[in-house]
Amino acid sequence: MRGIRGNDLPAYVSNGLIGLRVCEVPLVPGSAILNGVVGLYPEEPLEAAIPVPYPLCGDIGIGEAWMSEQPWAVSELEQSYDFSAGELNSSFLFRVGEKAVLARIITFASRSDPALVLQQLELSSEAACEVRLRAMIGTAHARGHVGRRMIGAEAQPGDGALLWIPEGEMSCCGIAFASQCTNTREEPVIQQKHGSGPLIKEYRVTLKPGKPVRLQQVTAMIPSIVHHRPDEEAVRRLAKGLALGFDRLRACNREQWDEIWQGRIVVEGANSHHQRLIDAGFFYLNSSAHRSSPAATSMFGLASWPGYNYYYGHVMWDIDAFCVPPLLLIQPGAARSLLDFRARHVGAAKAYAKLDGHGGLRFPWQAAPRSGEEASPGPGPAAANAAHVSLHVARAFALHADATGDRRYLRDHGWPILSGVADWLVDRMSTTENSMKLLRANGPAEVPDPPDNDSFTLMTACDLLRRTIRLARSIDAEVPVSWHGLLDRIRLPVRSDGVIASHENFRVNEEKGATPSPLAGLFPMHYPASDRESKATLDFFLKRWRDYVGSPMLSAFYPVWAAMAGDRGLALALFEQGYAAYDKGRFHQCLEYREDHPDSKVPAGPFMANIGGMLMTMLMGLPGLEISAADPATWGRRRVVLPSGWKSISVNRIWAGGRPMRLVAQHGKECAELVPGSETIHSAVEA
């Protein structure tokens, strides 16, 4: 990418614990989110993830002219993203009068040591030049104050550390940094040793032709959710990183990404643009989750940027429904960290069910990162009327048990949630003479007046109850008669022509009537509809795709539904319209809404529900896989139908049944192949 980004979003660099928005000139402070750190949201009085001090700021001075004071002196901006290693590469020219310096910068968030973010500035000049360089922790754009500063012996072997307390004082974080510069003329100086301003270390260097100078920065960031004195722990984590050194940390980060990319999804026959978008989605989801993530991840990962609503950094059902399933197959440790967040806040779910007058567990619509409690702004109608939320949370634990085979985790953490949500569901349903009814509950179509018997919720409930009953037997847990009774008495709203309606009294011309929620019950919920019902429902909703595509979440599943209907041409067209058209130019950040959608206000991405939906389409939907307790070799449940021109989908390594396996889904085959073993490969990944 060349030049300023214009209306595009800045680059997003993350490792699942720390997330950065990096500007075209990376020394200029962007935005930093630290997993689990929350404060008072400026526009709403609620707990939200808010930016903390930017950990990799810097500045360049020629004479008395500083780049930060004269940004118009910067030119020839270039930026590229090496997805294979998670490294953002930037360069620019800074000119003052007759003197000019060329800056090349590498920025990355360490996956091997997730508390660390790192940056290397290489500065060169064609003529001898005296330059000043600054490395700093920038506090200018963060709302809060410094609770404590550590300089000197307290911060060693680093340069300094801060205890940062965001507005609202709901949490805090520790930030410790160190820098090292080659060819310095004199001892560097630490500036701003007191107060709430930035921490700065300044160097004076002499640039000579052909002899570049390097400034390396390493910063450790620790949220108070994992340590009560996070600034002290940040100093320790920084010391560990410095003992390894910048180059070793960079190599370890590359090794970690090499490992993740063994799960790369390769589509033979797809055009290069579509393959790049698949790679980008794979990269962004894996960037946004880590086994060290203490507070799951939000709808936009750990990204933040002024100008649009990031759902306050809250954890929503979309993460459980769209992000956990692909991560189970690609990065199971990271998937477990998302589940751990839910398990940690079972108490909040129990309290919410009690407030409703029900037993069991009801999980919140928008879970606050620190407390796990409901944090929807205002009256929160979606929070009150979306019964499917808790089902997705519990179903994620069921999928984890089958995908990993980890019965100990199921017994200790999964079963309390599975059984608690099943108990709540029994209480939430209303008994009639021949069936159980779900009254006033929205599905994916969020409308002011919730309907009865939302089919998506009921289809999800059927899948969850079947899985819960089966898993109970695997750990010798009790299965209440009421669960069987509910499963036997759930009835979907099916029209006379065999179409599964979205809900009772459904009208196609109603508000959001084109929402394909019954199709989402067929995949990814695997509801066992009859052939007549499946065909009629697919035909009915696929004809109306133009009235829905452009919206978030379910659009990414359209290629699967078209393939289930046997229409390869439509499947390809809907991959383009339902996913590729959401692409935003700078580094392929998939947007929440397509820009031509009437509800699209400003570009917002990378949106994890759309990305997760696409990855589920590629890993499970088009190959026809269903995660179950059976031998993974039998997970293929239907004939492989791929979009026009696509010959096969292959993954060198996915994790299935707790072991590595290779996936090959070849068009026309009776089912996809999952075979044990994988080969070590190094994929070429383009940004």
Side-chain angles (χ1 to χ4, degrees):
M1 299 288 179
R2 294 187 176 184
I4 61 173
R5 68 178 183 275
N7 291 324
D8 282 357
L9 292 161
Y12 168 55
V13 174
S14 180
N15 59 12
L17 182 64
I18 305 168
L20 306 177
R21 282 289 195 188
V22 184
C23 296
E24 303 94 301
V25 177
L27 303 181
V28 173
S31 177
I33 293 289
L34 184 55
N35 195 292
V37 174
V38 297
L40 195 64
Y41 193 73
E43 280 77 41
E44 297 277 358
L46 49 81
E47 177 185 328
I50 61 174
V52 298
Y54 194 75
L56 297 174
C57 293
D59 209 349
I60 303 171
I62 299 176
E64 295 303 314
W66 287 97
M67 183 188 68
S68 60
E69 298 170 354
Q70 301 186 39
W72 47 85
V74 172
S75 62
E76 299 185 27
L77 293 164
E78 290 196 25
Q79 208 167 47
S80 63
Y81 211 151
D82 182 359
F83 285 165
S84 69
E87 293 183 353
L88 181 69
N89 299 282
S90 312
S91 66
F92 59 86
L93 196 67
F94 176 48
R95 185 183 298 276
V96 178
E98 298 292 321
K99 298 177 181 178
V101 293
L102 175 64
R104 293 187 174 90
I105 300 177
I106 299 167
T107 308
F108 65 95
S110 173
R111 290 201 67 86
S112 61
D113 292 77
L116 303 180
V117 287
L118 301 94
Q119 189 161 272
Q120 176 178 279
L121 163 66
E122 183 178 277
L123 208 62
S124 60
S125 176
E126 294 181 354
C129 184
E130 300 296 323
V131 177
R132 286 186 286 174
L133 297 177
R134 287 175 176 170
M136 66 181 82
I137 299 173
T139 60
H141 301 299
R143 301 172 69 99
H145 66 276
V146 174
R148 178 168 56 167
R149 298 170 86 90
M150 288 193 282
I151 304 293
E154 285 185 307
Q156 288 182 359
D159 297 332
L162 299 176
L163 177 67
W164 180 259
I165 304 172
E167 284 186 352
E169 301 189 354
M170 301 176 186
S171 67
C172 59
C173 67
I175 309 173
F177 89 116
S179 60
Q180 184 175 9
C181 187
T182 59
N183 300 333
T184 55
R185 288 197 294 111
E186 55 191 66
E187 281 296 310
V189 177
I190 298 289
Q191 299 180 358
Q192 300 212 14
K193 298 180 181 180
H194 307 286
S196 286
L199 276 176
I200 303 172
K201 187 174 184 180
E202 183 175 315
Y203 300 85
R204 293 178 178 267
V205 300
T206 301
L207 282 179
K208 297 179 180 179
K211 294 185 178 180
V213 167
R214 286 183 175 177
L215 172 64
Q216 294 177 336
Q217 293 173 255
V218 182
T219 302
M221 306 180 75
I222 299 293
S224 57
I225 197 172
V226 301
H227 201 285
H228 293 296
R229 296 180 68 83
D231 51 341
E232 295 173 6
E233 182 62 17
V235 169
R236 288 187 281 267
R237 295 288 169 166
L238 178 64
K240 177 177 178 287
L242 294 177
L244 290 172
F246 187 98
D247 292 339
R248 181 58 188 150
L249 286 167
R250 186 182 180 191
C252 289
N253 182 64
R254 285 177 167 266
E255 290 168 8
Q256 293 268 320
W257 273 111
D258 282 345
E259 174 70 13
I260 291 172
W261 279 109
Q262 302 306 309
R264 185 189 184 201
I265 302 163
V266 178
V267 184
E268 184 185 1
N271 66 47
S272 58
H273 177 61
H274 287 173
Q275 181 65 62
R276 282 195 294 270
L277 296 185
I278 295 166
D279 287 339
F282 181 96
F283 173 75
Y284 284 125
L285 180 61
N286 281 286
S287 293
S288 301
H290 194 284
R291 64 171 64 246
S292 298
S293 304
T297 195
S298 79
M299 294 303 298
F300 293 93
L302 300 180
S304 178
W305 198 245
Y308 67 93
N309 173 20
Y310 279 78
Y311 299 108
Y312 316 103
H314 296 161
V315 181
M316 302 179 72
W317 69 272
D318 315 58
I319 299 300
D320 309 278
F322 297 94
C323 298
V324 168
L327 284 171
L328 285 171
L329 303 180
I330 300 165
Q331 201 189 154
R336 178 166 161 173
S337 74
L338 303 183
L339 300 180
D340 286 343
F341 171 78
R342 296 296 194 181
R344 192 179 308 122
H345 298 298
V346 165
K350 186 175 182 180
Y352 264 81
K354 279 189 173 183
L355 281 174
D356 296 335
H358 295 146
L361 306 175
R362 179 171 78 83
F363 284 87
W365 172 262
Q366 292 190 33
R370 178 186 60 91
S371 66
E373 296 174 347
E374 183 63 69
S376 299
N385 299 319
H388 63 94
V389 171
S390 297
L391 308 185
H392 294 296
V393 173
R395 187 174 184 269
F397 282 87
L399 292 174
H400 178 272
D402 286 340
T404 66
D406 188 344
R407 290 297 181 264
R408 183 175 63 177
Y409 189 79
L410 171 63
R411 282 191 298 268
D412 295 345
H413 302 286
W415 182 247
I417 289 175
L418 284 162
S419 58
V421 170
D423 288 341
W424 169 82
L425 183 61
V426 170
D427 263 11
R428 178 64 173 80
M429 300 288 284
S430 298
T431 305
T432 64
E433 185 176 349
N434 297 314
S435 65
M436 302 288 282
K437 295 191 71 171
L438 178 66
L439 302 179
R440 294 188 58 78
N442 277 329
E446 297 158 24
V447 293
D449 187 19
D452 294 339
N453 277 350
D454 174 73
S455 60
F456 174 72
T457 305
L458 295 177
M459 295 160 95
T460 304
C462 287
D463 185 71
L464 174 63
L465 287 170
R466 289 189 183 96
R467 291 178 182 274
T468 301
I469 291 168
R470 174 174 50 76
L471 288 169
R473 297 183 182 124
S474 73
I475 58 172
D476 296 324
E478 179 185 355
V479 178
V481 173
S482 59
W483 297 358
H484 287 287
L486 175 56
L487 184 58
D488 292 340
R489 298 177 68 186
I490 288 178
R491 300 289 182 269
L492 300 187
V494 180
R495 302 187 340 167
S496 59
D497 59 0
V499 173
I500 300 172
S502 296
H503 52 77
E504 281 189 6
N505 303 317
F506 169 73
R507 303 183 319 278
V508 72
N509 62 348
E510 70 186 24
E511 182 182 1
K512 300 188 178 183
T515 303
S517 51
L519 298 187
L522 300 179
F523 176 82
M525 296 306 157
H526 305 290
Y527 181 80
S530 68
D531 290 344
R532 177 175 179 265
E533 290 172 347
S534 293
K535 184 180 186 306
T537 306
L538 286 165
D539 289 346
F540 182 86
F541 283 99
L542 282 174
K543 290 175 184 176
R544 293 164 173 81
W545 69 265
R546 290 179 179 83
D547 296 327
Y548 180 81
V549 164
S551 300
M553 296 185 298
L554 300 184
S555 293
F557 292 141
Y558 269 101
V560 179
W561 302 328
M564 291 169 68
D567 193 334
R568 298 187 70 195
L570 182 60
L572 182 63
L574 290 177
F575 181 84
E576 179 64 40
Q577 296 297 321
Y579 187 77
Y582 290 69
D583 179 48
K584 185 65 175 174
R586 199 172 191 85
F587 308 129
H588 301 304
Q589 297 188 53
C590 178
L591 302 182
E592 178 182 11
Y593 286 92
R594 235 169 50 178
E595 288 191 283
D596 59 356
H597 193 279
D599 290 340
S600 176
K601 295 178 176 61
V602 293
F607 191 63
M608 294 301 151
N610 292 347
I611 290 171
M614 180 275 292
L615 295 176
M616 289 173 69
T617 288
M618 304 304 299
L619 289 168
M620 291 170 270
L622 291 172
L625 300 186
E626 180 180 357
I627 295 174
S628 73
D631 186 334
T634 68
W635 284 5
R637 297 298 175 89
R638 64 174 184 268
R639 188 176 185 84
V640 178
V641 178
L642 301 182
S644 290
W646 292 17
K647 299 176 182 178
S648 68
I649 296 173
S650 61
V651 181
N652 180 64
R653 187 199 62 204
I654 67 172
W655 294 98
R659 62 186 190 273
M661 305 194 80
R662 298 182 66 193
L663 168 65
V664 179
Q666 188 173 344
H667 173 72
K669 291 288 188 180
E670 284 302 312
C671 62
E673 295 181 6
L674 263 175
V675 295
S678 64
E679 300 172 359
T680 300
I681 59 170
H682 298 280
S683 300
V685 183
E686 298 181 49

